[in-house]
CSV table of all heavy atoms in Angstrom, one decimal:
chain,number,residue,atom,x,y,z
F,40,GLU,N,0.8,-1.2,0.0
F,40,GLU,CA,0.0,0.0,0.0
F,40,GLU,C,0.9,1.3,0.0
F,40,GLU,O,0.6,2.2,-0.7
F,40,GLU,CB,-1.0,0.0,1.2
F,40,GLU,CG,-2.0,-1.1,1.1
F,40,GLU,CD,-3.0,-1.1,2.3
F,40,GLU,OE1,-2.7,-0.4,3.3
F,40,GLU,OE2,-4.0,-1.9,2.2
F,41,HIS,N,1.9,1.3,0.8
F,41,HIS,CA,2.8,2.5,0.9
F,41,HIS,C,3.5,2.8,-0.4
F,41,HIS,O,3.5,3.9,-0.9
F,41,HIS,CB,3.8,2.3,2.0
F,41,HIS,CG,4.6,3.6,2.3
F,41,HIS,ND1,4.2,4.5,3.2
F,41,HIS,CD2,5.7,4.0,1.7
F,41,HIS,CE1,5.0,5.5,3.2
F,41,HIS,NE2,6.0,5.2,2.4
F,42,LEU,N,3.9,1.7,-1.1
F,42,LEU,CA,4.7,1.9,-2.4
F,42,LEU,C,3.8,1.7,-3.6
F,42,LEU,O,4.3,1.8,-4.7
F,42,LEU,CB,5.9,0.9,-2.4
F,42,LEU,CG,6.9,1.1,-1.3
F,42,LEU,CD1,8.0,0.0,-1.5
F,42,LEU,CD2,7.5,2.5,-1.4
F,43,LYS,N,2.5,1.4,-3.4
F,43,LYS,CA,1.5,1.3,-4.5
F,43,LYS,C,2.0,0.3,-5.5
F,43,LYS,O,2.1,0.5,-6.7
F,43,LYS,CB,1.3,2.7,-5.1
F,43,LYS,CG,0.7,3.7,-4.2
F,43,LYS,CD,0.6,5.1,-4.9
F,43,LYS,CE,-0.2,6.1,-4.0
F,43,LYS,NZ,0.5,6.3,-2.6
F,44,LEU,N,2.2,-0.9,-5.0
F,44,LEU,CA,2.8,-2.0,-5.8
F,44,LEU,C,1.7,-2.9,-6.5
F,44,LEU,O,2.1,-3.8,-7.2
F,44,LEU,CB,3.7,-2.9,-4.9
F,44,LEU,CG,4.9,-2.2,-4.3
F,44,LEU,CD1,5.7,-3.2,-3.4
F,44,LEU,CD2,5.8,-1.5,-5.3
F,45,ARG,N,0.4,-2.6,-6.3
F,45,ARG,CA,-0.6,-3.4,-7.0
F,45,ARG,C,-0.8,-2.9,-8.4
F,45,ARG,O,-1.8,-3.4,-9.1
F,45,ARG,CB,-1.9,-3.4,-6.2
F,45,ARG,CG,-1.7,-4.2,-4.9
F,45,ARG,CD,-3.1,-4.7,-4.4
F,45,ARG,NE,-3.0,-5.1,-3.0
F,45,ARG,CZ,-2.6,-6.3,-2.6
F,45,ARG,NH1,-2.2,-7.2,-3.5
F,45,ARG,NH2,-2.6,-6.6,-1.4
F,46,ASN,N,-0.1,-1.9,-8.9
F,46,ASN,CA,-0.3,-1.4,-10.2
F,46,ASN,C,0.6,-2.2,-11.3
F,46,ASN,O,1.6,-2.8,-10.9
F,46,ASN,CB,0.1,0.1,-10.3
F,46,ASN,CG,-0.8,0.9,-9.4
F,46,ASN,OD1,-2.1,0.8,-9.5
F,46,ASN,ND2,-0.3,1.8,-8.5
F,47,PRO,N,0.2,-2.1,-12.5
F,47,PRO,CA,1.0,-2.8,-13.6
F,47,PRO,C,2.2,-1.9,-13.9
F,47,PRO,O,2.3,-1.3,-15.0
F,47,PRO,CB,0.0,-2.9,-14.7
F,47,PRO,CG,-0.9,-1.8,-14.6
F,47,PRO,CD,-1.1,-1.6,-13.1
F,48,ILE,N,3.3,-2.0,-13.1
F,48,ILE,CA,4.4,-1.1,-13.2
F,48,ILE,C,5.7,-1.9,-13.4
F,48,ILE,O,6.8,-1.3,-13.3
F,48,ILE,CB,4.5,-0.3,-11.9
F,48,ILE,CG1,4.6,-1.2,-10.7
F,48,ILE,CG2,3.4,0.7,-11.8
F,48,ILE,CD1,4.9,-0.5,-9.4
F,49,TYR,N,5.7,-3.2,-13.7
F,49,TYR,CA,6.9,-4.0,-13.6
F,49,TYR,C,7.7,-4.3,-14.9
F,49,TYR,O,8.9,-4.6,-14.8
F,49,TYR,CB,6.5,-5.3,-12.9
F,49,TYR,CG,5.9,-5.1,-11.5
F,49,TYR,CD1,4.6,-5.2,-11.3
F,49,TYR,CD2,6.8,-4.7,-10.5
F,49,TYR,CE1,4.1,-4.9,-10.0
F,49,TYR,CE2,6.3,-4.4,-9.2
F,49,TYR,CZ,5.0,-4.6,-9.0
F,49,TYR,OH,4.5,-4.3,-7.7
F,50,VAL,N,7.1,-4.1,-16.0
F,50,VAL,CA,7.9,-4.3,-17.3
F,50,VAL,C,9.1,-3.4,-17.3
F,50,VAL,O,10.2,-3.9,-17.6
F,50,VAL,CB,7.0,-4.2,-18.5
F,50,VAL,CG1,7.9,-4.0,-19.8
F,50,VAL,CG2,6.1,-5.4,-18.7
F,51,PRO,N,9.1,-2.1,-17.0
F,51,PRO,CA,10.3,-1.3,-17.0
F,51,PRO,C,11.4,-1.8,-16.0
F,51,PRO,O,12.5,-1.4,-16.2
F,51,PRO,CB,9.8,0.1,-16.6
F,51,PRO,CG,8.3,0.1,-17.0
F,51,PRO,CD,7.9,-1.3,-16.7
F,52,THR,N,11.0,-2.5,-15.0
F,52,THR,CA,12.0,-3.0,-14.1
F,52,THR,C,12.8,-4.2,-14.6
F,52,THR,O,13.9,-4.5,-14.1
F,52,THR,CB,11.4,-3.4,-12.7
F,52,THR,OG1,10.7,-4.7,-12.9
F,52,THR,CG2,10.5,-2.4,-12.2
F,53,SER,N,12.4,-4.8,-15.7
F,53,SER,CA,12.9,-6.1,-16.1
F,53,SER,C,14.3,-6.0,-16.8
F,53,SER,O,14.9,-7.0,-17.0
F,53,SER,CB,11.9,-6.8,-17.1
F,53,SER,OG,11.8,-6.0,-18.3
F,54,ALA,N,14.8,-4.8,-17.1
F,54,ALA,CA,16.1,-4.6,-17.6
F,54,ALA,C,16.7,-3.3,-17.1
F,54,ALA,O,16.0,-2.4,-16.8
F,54,ALA,CB,16.1,-4.6,-19.2
F,55,TYR,N,18.0,-3.2,-17.0
F,55,TYR,CA,18.8,-2.1,-16.6
F,55,TYR,C,18.6,-1.7,-15.1
F,55,TYR,O,18.8,-0.6,-14.7
F,55,TYR,CB,18.5,-0.9,-17.5
F,55,TYR,CG,18.5,-1.2,-19.0
F,55,TYR,CD1,17.4,-1.2,-19.7
F,55,TYR,CD2,19.7,-1.6,-19.5
F,55,TYR,CE1,17.4,-1.6,-21.1
F,55,TYR,CE2,19.8,-2.0,-20.9
F,55,TYR,CZ,18.6,-2.0,-21.6
F,55,TYR,OH,18.7,-2.3,-23.0
F,56,GLY,N,18.2,-2.7,-14.3
F,56,GLY,CA,18.2,-2.5,-12.9
F,56,GLY,C,16.9,-2.1,-12.3
F,56,GLY,O,16.1,-1.4,-12.9
F,57,HIS,N,16.6,-2.7,-11.1
F,57,HIS,CA,15.3,-2.4,-10.4
F,57,HIS,C,15.6,-1.1,-9.5
F,57,HIS,O,14.6,-0.6,-9.0
F,57,HIS,CB,14.9,-3.5,-9.5
F,57,HIS,CG,14.4,-4.7,-10.3
F,57,HIS,ND1,13.1,-5.2,-10.2
F,57,HIS,CD2,15.1,-5.6,-11.1
F,57,HIS,CE1,13.0,-6.2,-11.0
F,57,HIS,NE2,14.2,-6.5,-11.6
F,58,PHE,N,16.8,-0.7,-9.3
F,58,PHE,CA,17.1,0.3,-8.4
F,58,PHE,C,17.9,1.4,-9.1
F,58,PHE,O,18.6,1.2,-10.1
F,58,PHE,CB,17.9,-0.2,-7.2
F,58,PHE,CG,17.1,-1.3,-6.5
F,58,PHE,CD1,17.8,-2.6,-6.3
F,58,PHE,CD2,15.8,-1.2,-6.1
F,58,PHE,CE1,17.1,-3.6,-5.7
F,58,PHE,CE2,15.1,-2.3,-5.5
F,58,PHE,CZ,15.8,-3.5,-5.3
F,59,GLY,N,17.9,2.6,-8.5
F,59,GLY,CA,18.6,3.8,-9.1
F,59,GLY,C,17.9,4.4,-10.3
F,59,GLY,O,18.5,5.2,-11.0
F,60,ARG,N,16.6,4.0,-10.5
F,60,ARG,CA,15.8,4.6,-11.6
F,60,ARG,C,15.0,5.7,-11.0
F,60,ARG,O,14.8,5.9,-9.8
F,60,ARG,CB,14.9,3.5,-12.1
F,60,ARG,CG,15.6,2.2,-12.4
F,60,ARG,CD,16.5,2.2,-13.7
F,60,ARG,NE,15.6,2.3,-14.9
F,60,ARG,CZ,15.1,1.2,-15.5
F,60,ARG,NH1,15.3,0.0,-15.0
F,60,ARG,NH2,14.3,1.3,-16.6
F,61,SER,N,14.4,6.5,-11.9
F,61,SER,CA,13.6,7.7,-11.6
F,61,SER,C,12.1,7.3,-11.4
F,61,SER,O,11.6,6.7,-12.3
F,61,SER,CB,13.8,8.8,-12.6
F,61,SER,OG,15.1,9.2,-12.7
F,62,PRO,N,11.5,7.7,-10.3
F,62,PRO,CA,10.1,7.5,-10.2
F,62,PRO,C,9.3,8.2,-11.3
F,62,PRO,O,9.8,9.3,-11.7
F,62,PRO,CB,9.7,8.1,-8.8
F,62,PRO,CG,11.0,8.1,-8.1
F,62,PRO,CD,12.1,8.3,-9.1
F,63,SER,N,8.2,7.7,-11.8
F,63,SER,CA,7.5,8.3,-12.9
F,63,SER,C,6.1,8.7,-12.4
F,63,SER,O,5.6,8.2,-11.3
F,63,SER,CB,7.3,7.3,-14.0
F,63,SER,OG,6.4,6.3,-13.8
F,64,ASN,N,5.4,9.5,-13.2
F,64,ASN,CA,4.0,9.9,-12.9
F,64,ASN,C,3.1,8.8,-13.1
F,64,ASN,O,1.9,8.9,-12.6
F,64,ASN,CB,3.6,11.1,-13.8
F,64,ASN,CG,4.4,12.4,-13.5
F,64,ASN,OD1,4.9,12.6,-12.4
F,64,ASN,ND2,4.6,13.2,-14.5
F,65,GLN,N,3.5,7.7,-13.7
F,65,GLN,CA,2.7,6.5,-13.9
F,65,GLN,C,2.8,5.5,-12.8
F,65,GLN,O,2.2,4.4,-12.9
F,65,GLN,CB,3.0,5.9,-15.3
F,65,GLN,CG,2.6,6.7,-16.5
F,65,GLN,CD,3.5,7.8,-16.7
F,65,GLN,OE1,4.8,7.7,-16.6
F,65,GLN,NE2,3.0,9.0,-17.1
F,66,GLY,N,3.6,5.8,-11.8
F,66,GLY,CA,3.7,5.0,-10.6
F,66,GLY,C,4.9,4.0,-10.6
F,66,GLY,O,5.0,3.1,-9.8
F,67,HIS,N,5.8,4.2,-11.6
F,67,HIS,CA,7.0,3.3,-11.6
F,67,HIS,C,8.0,3.7,-10.6
F,67,HIS,O,8.2,4.9,-10.3
F,67,HIS,CB,7.6,3.3,-13.0
F,67,HIS,CG,6.7,2.9,-14.1
F,67,HIS,ND1,6.1,3.8,-15.0
F,67,HIS,CD2,6.2,1.7,-14.5
F,67,HIS,CE1,5.3,3.2,-15.8
F,67,HIS,NE2,5.4,1.9,-15.6
F,68,PHE,N,8.7,2.8,-10.0
F,68,PHE,CA,9.9,3.0,-9.2
F,68,PHE,C,9.6,3.9,-8.0
F,68,PHE,O,10.3,4.8,-7.6
F,68,PHE,CB,11.1,3.6,-10.0
F,68,PHE,CG,11.4,2.7,-11.1
F,68,PHE,CD1,11.1,3.0,-12.4
F,68,PHE,CD2,12.2,1.5,-10.9
F,68,PHE,CE1,11.4,2.2,-13.5
F,68,PHE,CE2,12.5,0.7,-12.0
F,68,PHE,CZ,12.1,1.0,-13.3
F,69,THR,N,8.4,3.6,-7.3
F,69,THR,CA,8.0,4.4,-6.2
F,69,THR,C,9.0,4.2,-5.0
F,69,THR,O,9.2,5.1,-4.2
F,69,THR,CB,6.6,4.0,-5.7
F,69,THR,OG1,6.6,2.5,-5.5
F,69,THR,CG2,5.6,4.3,-6.7
F,70,TRP,N,9.7,3.1,-5.0
F,70,TRP,CA,10.7,2.8,-3.9
F,70,TRP,C,11.9,3.6,-4.1
F,70,TRP,O,12.8,3.6,-3.2
F,70,TRP,CB,11.0,1.3,-3.9
F,70,TRP,CG,11.4,0.8,-5.3
F,70,TRP,CD1,12.6,0.7,-5.8
F,70,TRP,CD2,10.5,0.3,-6.3
F,70,TRP,NE1,12.6,0.1,-7.1
F,70,TRP,CE2,11.3,-0.1,-7.4
F,70,TRP,CE3,9.1,0.1,-6.3
F,70,TRP,CZ2,10.7,-0.7,-8.5
F,70,TRP,CZ3,8.5,-0.4,-7.5
F,70,TRP,CH2,9.4,-0.8,-8.6
F,71,GLU,N,12.1,4.4,-5.1
F,71,GLU,CA,13.2,5.3,-5.3
F,71,GLU,C,12.9,6.7,-4.8
F,71,GLU,O,13.8,7.6,-4.8
F,71,GLU,CB,13.6,5.4,-6.8
F,71,GLU,CG,14.2,4.1,-7.3
F,71,GLU,CD,15.5,3.7,-6.6
F,71,GLU,OE1,16.4,4.6,-6.4
F,71,GLU,OE2,15.7,2.5,-6.2
F,72,LYS,N,11.7,7.0,-4.3
F,72,LYS,CA,11.4,8.3,-3.7
F,72,LYS,C,12.2,8.5,-2.4
F,72,LYS,O,12.5,7.5,-1.7
F,72,LYS,CB,9.9,8.4,-3.4
F,72,LYS,CG,9.1,8.4,-4.7
F,72,LYS,CD,7.6,8.6,-4.4
F,72,LYS,CE,6.7,8.7,-5.7
F,72,LYS,NZ,5.3,8.8,-5.4
F,73,THR,N,12.4,9.7,-2.1
F,73,THR,CA,13.1,10.1,-0.8
F,73,THR,C,12.2,10.9,0.1
F,73,THR,O,12.5,11.9,0.7
F,73,THR,CB,14.4,10.9,-1.1
F,73,THR,OG1,14.1,12.0,-2.0
F,73,THR,CG2,15.4,10.0,-1.8
F,74,ASP,N,10.9,10.4,0.2
F,74,ASP,CA,9.9,11.2,1.0
F,74,ASP,C,9.9,10.8,2.5
F,74,ASP,O,9.1,11.3,3.2
F,74,ASP,CB,8.5,10.9,0.4
F,74,ASP,CG,8.2,9.5,0.2
F,74,ASP,OD1,9.0,8.6,0.6
F,74,ASP,OD2,7.1,9.2,-0.4
F,75,LEU,N,10.9,10.0,2.9
F,75,LEU,CA,11.0,9.7,4.4
F,75,LEU,C,12.1,10.6,5.0
F,75,LEU,O,12.4,10.5,6.2
F,75,LEU,CB,11.4,8.3,4.6
F,75,LEU,CG,10.3,7.2,4.1
F,75,LEU,CD1,10.9,5.8,4.4
F,75,LEU,CD2,9.0,7.4,4.8
F,76,VAL,N,12.8,11.4,4.2
F,76,VAL,CA,14.0,12.1,4.6
F,76,VAL,C,13.6,13.0,5.8
F,76,VAL,O,14.4,13.1,6.8
F,76,VAL,CB,14.6,13.0,3.5
F,76,VAL,CG1,15.6,14.0,4.0
F,76,VAL,CG2,15.3,12.0,2.5
F,77,ASP,N,12.5,13.8,5.8
F,77,ASP,CA,12.2,14.7,6.9
F,77,ASP,C,12.0,14.0,8.2
F,77,ASP,O,12.4,14.4,9.2
F,77,ASP,CB,11.0,15.5,6.5
F,77,ASP,CG,11.3,16.6,5.4
F,77,ASP,OD1,12.4,16.9,5.2
F,77,ASP,OD2,10.3,17.1,4.8
């Protein structure tokens, strides 16, 4: 629920790494956000 992982967001993860990518407006790579910093 926190990372909104029930969306169809996984094809872009299948190459060039699951990490270090930029979050998108379509819900991809939500785990790359830095919204816990504060």
Side-chain angles (χ1 to χ4, degrees):
E40 291 179 353
H41 188 90
L42 297 178
K43 298 179 172 56
L44 298 181
R45 293 203 192 278
N46 296 312
I48 56 173
Y49 296 105
V50 163
T52 71
S53 64
Y55 312 113
H57 291 246
F58 306 126
R60 312 283 291 275
S61 298
S63 75
N64 293 331
Q65 291 74 43
H67 302 102
F68 303 103
T69 54
W70 49 94
E71 292 296 316
K72 293 181 178 181
T73 52
D74 50 5
L75 300 179
V76 165
D77 289 342

